[in-house]
Each structure stands twice: as C-alpha cells, then as structure tokens.
Amino acid sequence: MSGRMKVGAVIITMGNRPDELRALLDSVAKQEGDRVEVVVVGNGSPVPDVPEGVRTVELPENLGIPGGRNVGIEAFGPGGRDVDVLLFLDDDGLLAHHDTAELCRDAFEADPRLGIISFRIADPETGETQRRHVPRLRASDPMRSSRVTTFLGGANAVRTRVFAEVGGLPDEFFYAHEETDLAWRALDAGWMIDYRSDMVLYHPTTAPSRHAVYHRMVARNRVWLARRNLPALLVPVYLGVWLLLTLLRKPSGPALKAWFGGFKEGWVSSCGARRPMKWRTVWRLTRLGRPPVI
C-alpha cells in the first residue's frame, strides 16, 4: 500500500458520445500512481460500453449536471468518503497528461486547507484556453496558476471532506452556476480553491449558449445563487451588476426574453435553504480578486 490519497473520478454522460467517453476513460486509466477508480453515470440514458473495472450507474431520468454528479459522489459512499479526492470530468474531455492524478495528490497533501482544484481547459487542436475557462476576473494569462473563488465544473478535483462539511452540488440548479454555489460554501467554511494551469483537460472549443436552456438557466440560477449565499445587503447589488452586464452585452431579442423570464423565475421560485456567507468571507473573496458583487 502506498499510503497516498485515494482518487476517484465521476463522469456523467447522456450516452451520445461513446467514442469521446472511451478516449477519456483511457486517459484516466493511464494516470500514474495508484489506480483511479471511475464511476460513469448515465444521466437519463444507458451508459455506452466501458472498460472492465469501470462502474456504471444508469438513472431513469436526466437529473441535470449537479444531480448527476451528486449520484456519482454517493457511488463512492456517503459524501464520497471511500476516496480522498474526486475528479469531475466532462465526457467529451481528455486528460492531456499522465501525471494529473499525482499532481492532485501532491497538491492536496501539501496544503491541508486546499479543498478544490480547477484544471485548465485547452482545445486539443489549437491549445487555446477560452477566457471564460479561466475562473478569475484577470483571465488574460491562462498559464498563470493562482488562488481563485470558483472552479470549472467538468474539469476539477475536490477533496471529499469538502462534501462532508458543506454538502454536495445544488440539485435544483440543473445546469449553470452550481460550481459557484459549492465554491462559496466551501470558502465560507475555510477551504481554498486553486486554478492550476499544469493540470490540463483537452476539450473542444464551444459556446455555452449552445444549450437551448442557457439564457433562462443562467439568469434563474444567478438569482438563486445570490438568494442562497449572499448577505441581504449584497443581493440587490450583485444582481443589479449582472443585469447591467447582460444588457451591455446586447443579447438577441429571444435571448433577452429568455433571460428576463429566468430572472423572474429566480425570484418567485424556491431556491432551497438560505445560508448567507459570513462578512469575513466577503472580504476574503474581495482579497482574492473577485468581490461577490460581480
């Protein structure tokens, strides 16, 4: 026995990318060090053929991204406690290097307060990292690693003690902002988040608006995020800033209509339990370069 941290991986799939899924699983199997145990969750669909030793869970309905990932967490025991670290990887991604799991072990073992690591996403053809994939405001240099205040949902590693302490991803979000909700709760509990440019997931360059529900979900969940996590004084400031930013980006008429529909839905629908962060967490976020008003 090596005595090193145990690493698992959760991959959710709609069953429509079998070749990409197989390539991802092969890249996980090639990781150096102790074997990474993998669970593939079929989110409302059958799981394509997978290599021997890969566990599968098939859900009768699509629970959304956070719901599917939470099922994957629980496949490793309550709160994922059977392992020390869980990787969350998009099924059309590919680990670029064979040492990613070992780098995760090194990072978590070296820093006991490190709770989450966000990987760098790069296009496999061009090597380009989209600005939106660098989880900080100063995103011009994707090769600079740093402390951050959120992380990328399909390319990350989480210490399972974080789930035990603050809970899992918010099922009700279905899609969009679920990572920031978990990140804020983790930061409020004293955990840190790192963006690491040397931990790379290859993923084709895409636009988030490719999802039909994008504009509605983004707006609704932004309101839920604020209502659940921010001190009352900051809720209107945060949402007012994002309303202004949305208008400045001049979305199309249909997109803006969907956005305002989601914004309204976020106010009139239940957002789950409200646990506002401490003011010292607000200051901590500010010192990290992203005050929770933007």
Side-chain angles (χ1 to χ4, degrees):
M1 299 293 290
S2 70
R4 300 215 67 190
M5 300 183 95
K6 296 179 181 178
V7 178
V10 173
I11 301 165
I12 60 173
T13 183
M14 299 291 290
N16 56 348
R17 294 189 282 233
D19 294 340
E20 292 89 339
L21 174 62
R22 188 60 180 249
L24 171 62
L25 293 172
D26 289 345
S27 75
V28 175
K30 292 176 182 176
Q31 292 299 298
E32 299 166 0
D34 294 341
R35 176 177 175 269
V36 177
E37 185 178 351
V38 181
V39 169
V40 178
V41 179
N43 212 356
S45 68
V47 175
D49 289 339
V50 296
E52 184 178 354
V54 174
R55 290 190 287 156
T56 62
V57 180
E58 294 186 353
L59 302 177
E61 62 177 311
N62 182 356
L63 300 182
I65 294 174
R69 287 184 177 143
N70 283 337
V71 169
I73 294 168
E74 295 302 307
F76 289 94
R81 68 184 181 190
D82 294 345
V83 293
D84 302 298
V85 175
L86 279 175
L87 311 180
F88 294 87
L89 307 170
D90 277 350
D91 69 341
D92 56 345
L94 181 76
L95 288 174
H97 309 300
H98 297 168
D99 63 350
T100 303
E102 281 288 84
L103 289 173
C104 286
R105 292 184 181 100
D106 291 343
F108 285 119
E109 288 171 358
D111 185 352
R113 295 314 299 168
L114 178 62
I116 303 172
I117 299 173
S118 189
F119 301 166
R120 180 167 63 90
I121 293 180
D123 185 274
E125 299 295 330
T126 66
E128 176 189 359
T129 295
Q130 292 179 273
R131 186 180 182 89
R132 69 185 182 89
H133 284 152
V134 182
R136 59 176 179 246
L137 290 179
R138 296 177 181 177
S140 59
D141 182 7
M143 300 306 294
R144 180 173 66 88
S145 299
S146 68
R147 294 284 200 200
V148 290
T149 61
T150 189
F151 63 98
L152 306 174
N156 69 80
V158 182
R159 191 192 297 264
T160 53
R161 282 179 53 203
V162 173
F163 298 127
E165 189 168 339
V166 307
L169 295 156
D171 288 341
E172 56 269 45
F173 278 42
F174 197 85
Y175 162 78
H177 302 318
E178 66 272 6
E179 303 92 352
T180 301
D181 187 88
L182 176 61
W184 283 1
R185 286 182 281 126
L187 289 163
D188 198 46
W191 295 101
M192 301 301 294
I193 305 171
D194 279 355
Y195 166 73
R196 289 282 298 264
S197 64
D198 57 337
M199 302 182 189
V200 181
L201 183 84
Y202 283 147
H203 189 282
T205 298
T206 57
S209 56
R210 70 190 186 278
H211 298 291
V213 296
Y214 171 77
H215 296 287
R216 181 177 71 86
M217 291 291 194
V218 162
R220 184 197 69 180
N221 292 359
R222 183 80 69 184
V223 177
W224 280 358
L225 181 68
R227 290 176 58 200
R228 286 163 58 96
N229 295 286
L230 291 181
L233 288 175
L234 293 184
V235 172
V237 180
Y238 176 82
L239 294 176
V241 167
W242 278 103
L243 172 61
L244 179 60
L245 286 173
T246 299
L247 294 175
L248 289 174
R249 289 168 178 169
K250 298 180 180 179
S252 67
L256 192 60
K257 181 179 179 181
W259 192 93
F260 273 110
F263 192 79
K264 178 182 178 181
E265 184 182 350
W267 285 108
V268 301
S269 58
S270 173
C271 64
R274 173 167 163 76
R275 298 185 180 92
M277 66 178 64
K278 307 173 191 72
W279 281 103
R280 67 169 174 262
T281 305
V282 173
W283 175 236
R284 191 174 175 202
L285 288 162
T286 303
R287 286 191 293 111
L288 287 169
R290 188 144 197 168
V293 293
I294 189 170

